[in-house]
Short mmCIF file of all heavy atoms in Angstrom, two decimals:
data_model
loop_
_atom_site.label_atom_id
_atom_site.label_comp_id
_atom_site.label_asym_id
_atom_site.label_seq_id
_atom_site.Cartn_x
_atom_site.Cartn_y
_atom_site.Cartn_z
N LEU A 135 113.28 94.36 71.59
CA LEU A 135 112.54 95.39 70.86
C LEU A 135 112.44 95.07 69.37
O LEU A 135 111.38 95.24 68.76
CB LEU A 135 113.21 96.76 71.05
CG LEU A 135 113.08 97.39 72.44
CD1 LEU A 135 113.87 98.69 72.50
CD2 LEU A 135 111.62 97.64 72.79
N THR A 136 113.53 94.60 68.78
CA THR A 136 113.49 94.28 67.36
C THR A 136 112.59 93.08 67.08
O THR A 136 111.84 93.06 66.10
CB THR A 136 114.91 94.02 66.82
OG1 THR A 136 115.56 93.04 67.63
CG2 THR A 136 115.74 95.29 66.83
N ALA A 137 112.63 92.08 67.96
CA ALA A 137 111.76 90.91 67.79
C ALA A 137 110.30 91.30 67.97
O ALA A 137 109.42 90.84 67.23
CB ALA A 137 112.15 89.81 68.78
N TYR A 138 110.03 92.15 68.94
CA TYR A 138 108.66 92.60 69.21
C TYR A 138 108.13 93.41 68.03
O TYR A 138 106.96 93.26 67.63
CB TYR A 138 108.66 93.46 70.48
CG TYR A 138 107.30 93.71 71.07
CD1 TYR A 138 106.51 92.66 71.52
CD2 TYR A 138 106.80 95.00 71.20
CE1 TYR A 138 105.26 92.89 72.08
CE2 TYR A 138 105.57 95.24 71.76
CZ TYR A 138 104.79 94.19 72.20
OH TYR A 138 103.56 94.42 72.75
N ALA A 139 108.99 94.24 67.45
CA ALA A 139 108.59 95.04 66.30
C ALA A 139 108.27 94.15 65.10
O ALA A 139 107.28 94.37 64.38
CB ALA A 139 109.69 96.04 65.94
N LYS A 140 109.10 93.15 64.85
CA LYS A 140 108.85 92.23 63.74
C LYS A 140 107.55 91.47 63.92
O LYS A 140 106.78 91.27 62.99
CB LYS A 140 110.02 91.25 63.60
CG LYS A 140 111.30 91.87 63.09
CD LYS A 140 112.42 90.84 63.02
CE LYS A 140 113.72 91.46 62.54
NZ LYS A 140 114.83 90.47 62.51
N LYS A 141 107.28 91.06 65.14
CA LYS A 141 106.04 90.34 65.45
C LYS A 141 104.82 91.18 65.13
O LYS A 141 103.87 90.71 64.48
CB LYS A 141 106.04 89.94 66.92
CG LYS A 141 104.76 89.28 67.40
CD LYS A 141 104.82 88.99 68.89
CE LYS A 141 103.48 88.46 69.41
NZ LYS A 141 103.53 88.21 70.88
N HIS A 142 104.83 92.44 65.55
CA HIS A 142 103.67 93.31 65.30
C HIS A 142 103.58 93.73 63.84
O HIS A 142 102.48 93.91 63.32
CB HIS A 142 103.75 94.54 66.21
CG HIS A 142 103.26 94.26 67.60
ND1 HIS A 142 101.96 94.49 67.99
CD2 HIS A 142 103.88 93.74 68.69
CE1 HIS A 142 101.80 94.15 69.25
NE2 HIS A 142 102.96 93.68 69.70
N ALA A 143 104.74 93.90 63.19
CA ALA A 143 104.71 94.24 61.76
C ALA A 143 104.08 93.12 60.96
O ALA A 143 103.29 93.36 60.03
CB ALA A 143 106.13 94.52 61.27
N ALA A 144 104.40 91.87 61.31
CA ALA A 144 103.82 90.72 60.62
C ALA A 144 102.31 90.64 60.83
O ALA A 144 101.57 90.19 59.96
CB ALA A 144 104.48 89.44 61.12
N ALA A 145 101.86 91.12 61.99
CA ALA A 145 100.42 91.11 62.28
C ALA A 145 99.71 92.35 61.75
O ALA A 145 98.50 92.48 61.89
CB ALA A 145 100.21 91.00 63.78
N GLY A 146 100.47 93.27 61.16
CA GLY A 146 99.89 94.49 60.62
C GLY A 146 99.51 95.52 61.66
O GLY A 146 98.69 96.41 61.39
N ASN A 147 100.13 95.43 62.84
CA ASN A 147 99.75 96.36 63.91
C ASN A 147 100.52 97.67 63.87
O ASN A 147 100.12 98.64 64.51
CB ASN A 147 99.98 95.70 65.28
CG ASN A 147 99.06 94.52 65.49
OD1 ASN A 147 97.98 94.45 64.91
ND2 ASN A 147 99.48 93.56 66.32
N GLY A 148 101.61 97.69 63.16
CA GLY A 148 102.35 98.93 63.00
C GLY A 148 103.23 99.32 64.16
O GLY A 148 103.86 100.38 64.13
N PHE A 149 103.28 98.51 65.21
CA PHE A 149 104.16 98.86 66.33
C PHE A 149 105.61 98.67 65.93
O PHE A 149 105.94 97.76 65.19
CB PHE A 149 103.88 97.98 67.56
CG PHE A 149 104.87 98.18 68.67
CD1 PHE A 149 104.69 99.19 69.60
CD2 PHE A 149 106.00 97.38 68.77
CE1 PHE A 149 105.62 99.39 70.62
CE2 PHE A 149 106.93 97.57 69.80
CZ PHE A 149 106.73 98.58 70.72
N GLY A 150 106.46 99.53 66.43
CA GLY A 150 107.87 99.35 66.16
C GLY A 150 108.72 100.32 66.93
O GLY A 150 108.26 101.41 67.29
N CYS A 151 109.95 99.93 67.18
CA CYS A 151 110.89 100.88 67.77
C CYS A 151 111.45 101.72 66.62
O CYS A 151 111.56 101.25 65.49
CB CYS A 151 111.99 100.16 68.52
SG CYS A 151 112.84 98.90 67.57
N SER A 152 111.79 102.94 66.89
CA SER A 152 112.24 103.87 65.85
C SER A 152 113.64 104.35 66.16
O SER A 152 113.90 104.88 67.24
CB SER A 152 111.28 105.06 65.76
OG SER A 152 109.98 104.63 65.41
N VAL A 153 114.53 104.18 65.17
CA VAL A 153 115.92 104.59 65.32
C VAL A 153 116.17 105.76 64.37
O VAL A 153 115.84 105.70 63.19
CB VAL A 153 116.88 103.43 65.00
CG1 VAL A 153 118.33 103.87 65.20
CG2 VAL A 153 116.57 102.23 65.89
#
Side-chain angles (χ1 to χ4, degrees):
L135 289 176
T136 53
Y138 194 62
K140 289 178 181 178
K141 175 183 175 181
H142 279 267
N147 294 334
F149 172 86
C151 53
S152 298
V153 182

